[in-house]
Amino acid sequence: MFAVVRTGGKQYRVAAGDKIVVEKLGGEAGDSVTLSDVLLAGDGSDLKSVAGLTVAAEIVAQAKGEKVIVFKKRRRHNYRRKNGHRQNHTILKIVSIGDAA
């Protein structure tokens, strides 16, 4: 069975046992998380009702993404600014897809 869930403004297609990298969620490694914003669910080519459906996940780790370089320059004004950014991520392992219980 698979589901499409929305978290952090993005959508992810998940199945039991999958690992996904999402925007930072609160919690420590080993904590359980419930993703309740399920947009679509199905089994093979059959679609299921998403009323009351939730996805249970476990936090594997809190990590940082790759460094992104932000470079600003204005021509002929001797203006240069270099800045870096590393986004915080949460790595989730999908435990099960099922009803809210």
Side-chain angles (χ1 to χ4, degrees):
M1 184 170 183
F2 71 93
V4 176
V5 296
R6 178 173 33 205
T7 179
K10 298 180 181 75
Q11 298 174 8
Y12 302 92
R13 182 188 188 276
V14 297
D18 287 353
K19 287 187 180 177
I20 59 173
V21 177
V22 299
E23 295 292 319
K24 182 163 175 64
L25 299 173
E28 298 295 322
D31 290 351
S32 296
V33 175
T34 302
L35 304 173
S36 59
D37 195 2
V38 179
L39 304 174
L40 181 82
D43 196 5
S45 61
D46 301 330
L47 296 180
K48 309 277 185 189
S49 173
V50 296
L53 197 67
T54 60
V55 174
E58 178 184 342
I59 297 177
V60 175
Q62 301 282 9
K64 282 187 153 189
E66 294 292 316
K67 182 175 273 195
V68 177
I69 302 297
V70 179
F71 186 74
K72 299 178 183 180
K73 179 180 178 184
R74 295 199 181 139
R75 293 189 323 171
R76 299 183 296 272
H77 289 282
N78 196 27
Y79 174 85
R80 289 181 217 87
R81 299 292 181 266
K82 183 177 178 182
N83 202 351
H85 176 75
R86 292 184 70 187
Q87 187 70 29
N88 291 318
H89 295 300
T90 300
I91 302 170
L92 294 178
K93 181 174 190 227
I94 305 303
V95 177
S96 65
I97 301 171
D99 296 324

